[in-house]
Amino acid sequence: MAAFLCNPILLLFLFSFFFNLPLQTISVSTDQAAFKTYIFRVDEDSKPSIFPSHYHWYSSSFADPVQILHVYDTVFHGFSASVTPNQAASILQHPSVLASFEDRRRQLHTTRSPQFLGLRNEHGLWSDSDYGSDVIIGVLDTGIWPERRSFSDLHLGPVPARWKGVCETGVQFTSAHCNRKLIGARFFASGHEAAAGLAIGASNKTVEFRSPRDADGHGTHTASTAAGRHAFKAAMAGYASGIAKGVAPKARLAVYKVCWKNSGCFDSDILAAFDRAVVDGVDVISISIGGGDGISAPYYLDPIAIGAYGAVSRGVFVSSSAGNEGPSVMSVTNLAPWLTTVGAGTIDRNFPADVILGDGRKISGVSLYSGKLLNGKMFPLVYPGKSGTLSDSLCMENSLDSKLVTGKIVVCDRGSSARVSKGLVVKKAGGVGMILANGVSNGEGLVGDAHLLPACAIGAGEGDALKSYISSSSALPTATIDFRGTVIGIKPAPVVASFSGRGPNGLNPEILKPDLIAPGVNILAAWTDAVGPTGLDSDYRKTEFNILSGTSMACPHVSGAAALLKSAHPDWSPAAIRSAMMTTASITDNRFQPMTDESTGKPSTAYDFGAGHLNLVLAMNPGLVYDITNNDYVNFLCSIGYGPRTIQVITRTPVNCPLKRPLPENLNYPSITALFSSSASGTQTKSFIRTVTNVGPANSIYRAKIESPPKGVSVTVKPAKLSFSVSVKELSFIVTVSTDTKNLVLDDSGAVFGSLSWSDGNHVVRIPIVITRLDPL
């Protein structure tokens, strides 16, 4: 990786792309009839006084009224419009236009988890925060199915007086669908419709509603995970039965539909939703959305980063998903330091299914299949991948020969298409069951699916054993699948999910991402009536609840947690809330052993879980917090080489960078990443400044403890003791990291890890330390 980052030609190209704003942010097409959506950042103070509003100025000077899709005036200032590339290039030449970028499509990062986080009735954070009552969570997603019990307003008080939002009506959605729980709902379709060139549903067989109603299910699931009310006798086809509840059951919900079934989510609509949510008065924003191409854009070209900055700078906590491209290194998304980026871990509940082979061997897997059982009957077993054709091994559409698979259990390799789609392909071809085998990239990480035929998922090692049995069996290979229902008390848990996005941070490795992990595997939550539990158009089953996995499910756990902390500590900033979660996060599992990585079974690291797994028993009372101001974030942007004009694209207001360029690693983040040059030799030293704020007892003394310094690394802290009083609430310290390149041995991820903890005998305030040899861009 270091060699890749040291390539001088590549660095020159990246430097030109990142920092010469607005260099080539728009390419001019010879096809002037090709309209595209662009987002334009405008200097708000440049509006001529002759125009009564910015919209009048934009529609008179830049684009026809019919071309303007959104006007932004809160978290961002400017507009989006559907114009030709030549028109866009012309608009960009106007001195009041600071930047522009083409609209991009984003993708979704698709009952027991509150207890697993330590939440209990009548005491602790639930009781101390009144279950998040009167805190408003804005969910940017696919909308909501408002009739679900999870969104009941029974026994809730009046809508908070500060709320300024509305309940927007549309197809199958009226103002009556909002209540004291679901206090607001809006939908944003202009960017999507401009990209599609037609109104939603005009020529699309997929069910969709031009309203806040959820045709996909993802938004209903994430909203109820964050703030669903208690729903008794909840289950998904008999699995995970019990009482379903969100992390903040009394928090209010405001839904902003920006994603459309099978169509993704467009930047222009996402930015408009951020704008409205802040004006409406939300306290927390939950966004389980990220880049669909696996590439993280610089902050000034990333509307999620821009919208989130505008929200955080006004005191709104923003939780985002880390992406599902793990376990590859540098796969984490949503990297802006003002975002709280959440990876996924397992909980202590599983849905086991066993594959029983004809020779008597048993292979362990997982499944949420709930239809007619095989009842121990053995069926012929076939692996289409024996033909050597990739599409056959992956069970892609139209790839299977019905003569080969009819009446048999089919082994399919995971990848390239949705897991449930493979089952549908097998079923259409006449197969009676499916075994979904992980490849090397997924390792042993398993998630359950509500398949349309008897099916289960198995790990890569078990998959190899199964294929070996098929190819080497002298007799006809046979198998059956035994579905064992729901099992609680699984150990170890949590385990870092194999799919969870991993560090290092691909934009600024000095800032550790993800920040932490939360439950994101096999999560039960409310579901839409528009589609069955698989999400396939051909799945006509109805279910009130569904079980899903992804960092999309982890993100709303942290959103709900932020609502509880905001309710208990209304004066805390978004950075203080994040710090409380990170410094109290757990790095051990329910065996009291170091957390492991699901993909390998080996111990996981801070690149996998950030500061650790969310632990709400401790986050309520963290003792110390690492706070960050808006000016700190501006200095960070200065430190990574952004100029004032570029920074204004993000911050909206003009800024001045310090005469002496700051260091990005000195942002007051609750983690430390020490980057040492990969080309240097001998002993190297770096120092880091951090400041902590006492939020515990006024008269407190904290002492530092360095945990597990790896061989070849020395870590010191000055001062080693912090004394707080009524008049002294903030204190700074310096962490010095020295490394001897001769003795430093990095692990498989290219780093070594330690930590710094401050303790007063009651609180332990821990931050991870990462040491790596890497030349930043």
Side-chain angles (χ1 to χ4, degrees):
M1 183 191 306
F4 173 82
L5 294 175
C6 288
N7 185 313
I9 299 175
L10 176 63
L11 286 177
L12 180 62
F13 167 78
L14 291 171
F15 184 88
S16 298
F17 174 73
F18 282 178
F19 300 126
N20 286 285
L21 181 75
L23 178 66
Q24 298 300 318
T25 55
I26 296 174
S27 58
V28 179
S29 169
T30 56
D31 180 9
Q32 295 311 311
F35 281 79
K36 296 182 178 181
T37 298
Y38 294 90
I39 301 169
F40 298 95
R41 173 69 175 87
V42 182
D43 182 354
E44 60 188 286
D45 296 325
S46 297
K47 180 182 74 67
S49 58
I50 190 174
F51 295 107
S53 70
H54 283 87
Y55 171 76
H56 287 88
W57 178 33
Y58 302 152
S59 59
S60 297
S61 305
F62 300 114
D64 293 335
V66 294
Q67 294 176 306
I68 293 180
L69 306 179
H70 297 293
V71 172
Y72 312 107
D73 57 12
T74 302
V75 301
F76 182 79
H77 207 91
F79 65 98
S80 57
S82 181
V83 295
T84 66
N86 261 7
Q87 287 177 299
S90 178
I91 294 171
L92 186 55
Q93 299 307 310
H94 194 285
S96 297
V97 177
L98 300 177
S100 67
F101 36 96
E102 190 175 328
D103 209 6
R104 282 202 308 158
R105 186 195 306 268
R106 306 278 178 149
Q107 302 296 334
L108 296 161
H109 283 155
T110 192
T111 50
R112 181 170 169 76
S113 49
Q115 292 98 309
F116 190 67
L117 294 175
L119 294 171
R120 299 290 186 272
N121 288 331
E122 307 306 330
H123 65 85
L125 186 50
W126 258 351
S127 178
D128 292 341
S129 66
D130 191 21
Y131 299 83
S133 180
D134 291 347
V135 176
I136 303 168
I137 302 176
V139 181
L140 277 60
D141 214 295
T142 64
I144 197 164
W145 198 265
E147 292 85 359
R148 291 299 182 229
R149 289 184 291 158
S150 298
F151 309 123
S152 165
D153 66 354
L154 184 66
H155 302 313
L156 283 182
V159 174
R162 68 184 186 282
W163 176 245
K164 299 182 180 65
V166 300
C167 193
E168 192 173 3
T169 61
V171 176
Q172 296 189 33
F173 203 97
T174 70
S175 58
H177 285 115
C178 291
N179 56 22
R180 295 189 305 274
K181 176 66 173 180
L182 177 61
I183 63 174
R186 298 179 185 269
F187 66 98
F188 300 82
S190 298
H192 167 64
E193 291 178 342
L198 71 164
I200 290 169
S203 64
N204 191 340
K205 294 180 181 179
T206 297
V207 173
E208 184 53 280
F209 308 97
R210 200 176 190 282
S211 74
R213 185 169 288 279
D214 182 9
D216 180 273
H218 192 276
T220 301
H221 199 278
T222 55
S224 61
T225 298
R229 300 299 304 278
H230 290 68
F232 295 89
K233 296 183 179 180
M236 196 287 290
Y239 287 97
S241 58
I243 303 172
K245 65 189 84 62
V247 177
K250 286 189 179 181
R252 315 306 173 105
L253 281 167
V255 167
Y256 300 84
K257 182 175 177 177
V258 297
C259 302
W260 300 84
K261 185 170 174 60
N262 298 337
S263 300
C265 335
F266 282 86
D267 284 344
S268 57
D269 295 331
I270 293 171
L271 195 53
F274 267 112
D275 218 48
R276 286 311 316 170
V278 173
V279 173
D280 288 346
V282 303
D283 302 297
V284 174
I285 289 176
S286 186
I287 179 165
S288 294
I289 301 169
D293 51 12
I295 300 173
S296 295
Y299 309 125
Y300 61 80
L301 296 178
D302 181 358
I304 292 180
I306 294 169
Y309 180 88
V312 169
S313 67
R314 290 163 175 78
V316 179
F317 181 95
V318 182
S319 175
S320 61
S321 48
N324 298 335
E325 301 303 316
S328 302
V329 297
M330 208 178 285
S331 54
V332 61
T333 65
N334 291 321
L335 303 175
W338 45 87
L339 283 166
T340 298
T341 308
V342 189
T346 65
I347 61 174
D348 62 344
R349 179 181 65 196
N350 205 2
F351 310 103
D354 295 327
V355 177
I356 301 170
L357 302 181
D359 63 4
R361 280 186 291 165
K362 183 184 291 185
I363 291 177
S364 299
V366 300
S367 180
L368 294 169
Y369 172 71
S370 60
K372 185 178 179 180
L373 300 178
L374 299 182
N375 294 320
K377 183 178 178 180
M378 304 298 287
F379 291 90
L381 190 61
V382 62
Y383 174 49
K386 286 179 66 176
S387 67
T389 305
L390 183 61
S391 62
D392 290 355
S393 69
L394 294 169
C395 298
M396 303 294 285
E397 189 73 32
N398 299 319
S399 67
L400 299 183
D401 182 351
S402 61
K403 295 178 182 178
L404 175 68
V405 305
T406 296
K408 299 176 183 177
I409 293 176
V410 182
V411 179
C412 299
D413 288 331
R414 183 173 168 182
S416 296
S417 62
R419 299 183 300 271
V420 291
S421 296
K422 297 176 189 292
L424 181 59
V425 170
V426 171
K427 185 176 182 180
K428 287 179 177 179
V432 298
M434 178 184 71
I435 301 169
L436 187 62
N438 279 0
V440 175
S441 62
N442 299 113
E444 306 308 313
L446 300 178
V447 293
D449 293 299
H451 289 284
L452 291 167
L453 82 171
C456 78
I458 61 176
E462 301 279 41
D464 290 342
L466 180 63
K467 293 167 191 174
S468 176
Y469 164 69
I470 294 172
S471 62
S472 63
S473 180
S474 56
L476 176 69
T478 59
T480 190
I481 306 173
D482 178 26
F483 302 96
R484 294 167 47 203
T486 304
V487 176
I488 292 174
I490 296 294
K491 292 184 178 182
V495 170
V496 179
S498 61
F499 57 78
S500 186
R502 313 301 173 94
N505 180 331
L507 284 183
N508 298 107
E510 303 91 343
I511 306 298
L512 179 64
K513 290 287 182 175
D515 292 307
L516 73 167
I517 63 170
V521 178
N522 296 331
I523 303 301
L524 178 80
W527 192 245
T528 178
D529 255 358
V531 70
T534 62
L536 298 172
D537 292 338
S538 57
D539 186 355
Y540 300 110
R541 295 174 293 176
K542 304 292 185 184
T543 180
E544 183 184 7
F545 296 91
N546 199 6
I547 296 171
L548 298 181
S549 299
T551 55
S552 278
M553 286 62 252
C555 168
H557 280 88
V558 168
S559 306
L564 296 178
L565 292 170
K566 184 76 173 177
S567 182
H569 302 285
D571 58 329
W572 281 9
S573 69
I577 291 172
R578 174 178 58 195
S579 174
M581 294 185 200
M582 291 178 65
T583 60
T584 58
S586 174
I587 59 171
T588 57
D589 58 30
N590 53 4
R591 306 168 305 172
F592 303 104
Q593 297 294 318
M595 265 194 295
T596 56
D597 183 341
E598 187 181 44
S599 65
T600 63
K602 298 178 180 179
S604 50
T605 73
Y607 275 166
D608 307 321
F609 56 63
H613 190 277
L614 179 64
N615 183 345
L616 289 179
V617 175
L618 300 175
M620 171 71 179
N621 181 20
L624 306 175
V625 295
Y626 292 76
D627 211 349
I628 302 176
T629 67
N630 295 344
N631 192 54
D632 293 331
Y633 288 128
V634 169
N635 284 341
F636 167 78
L637 293 171
C638 294
S639 75
I640 62 175
Y642 288 9
R645 186 178 174 90
T646 305
I647 296 173
Q648 190 178 351
V649 174
I650 302 165
T651 62
R652 177 170 161 168
T653 55
V655 301
N656 292 309
C657 287
L659 291 177
K660 183 180 179 181
R661 183 165 159 176
L663 297 174
E665 57 263 36
N666 280 337
L667 179 66
N668 199 40
Y669 219 72
S671 62
I672 289 175
T673 300
L675 304 181
F676 293 102
S677 174
S678 58
S679 57
S681 59
T683 300
Q684 301 175 67
T685 299
K686 280 199 171 186
S687 295
F688 306 83
I689 301 171
R690 292 293 186 269
T691 301
V692 285
T693 303
N694 182 22
V695 294
N699 297 303
S700 300
I701 297 176
Y702 283 83
R703 289 177 171 82
K705 179 184 178 183
I706 303 299
E707 301 171 28
S708 305
K711 184 180 179 181
V713 176
S714 169
V715 181
T716 59
V717 182
K718 290 186 179 180
K721 183 175 77 172
L722 301 176
S723 298
F724 296 94
S725 64
V726 174
S727 59
V728 179
K729 296 182 178 180
E730 286 187 4
L731 289 171
S732 297
F733 57 91
I734 297 175
V735 177
T736 301
V737 180
S738 298
T739 178
D740 178 1
T741 55
K742 290 183 180 179
N743 295 317
L744 179 63
V745 179
L746 304 180
D747 70 6
D748 293 341
S749 66
V752 290
F753 305 90
S755 66
L756 163 66
S757 297
W758 291 100
S759 178
D760 64 349
N762 184 29
H763 305 90
V764 176
V765 188
R766 179 188 179 278
I767 63 171
I769 299 175
V770 180
I771 300 97
T772 185
R773 301 191 71 189
L774 187 71
D775 290 309
L777 294 175

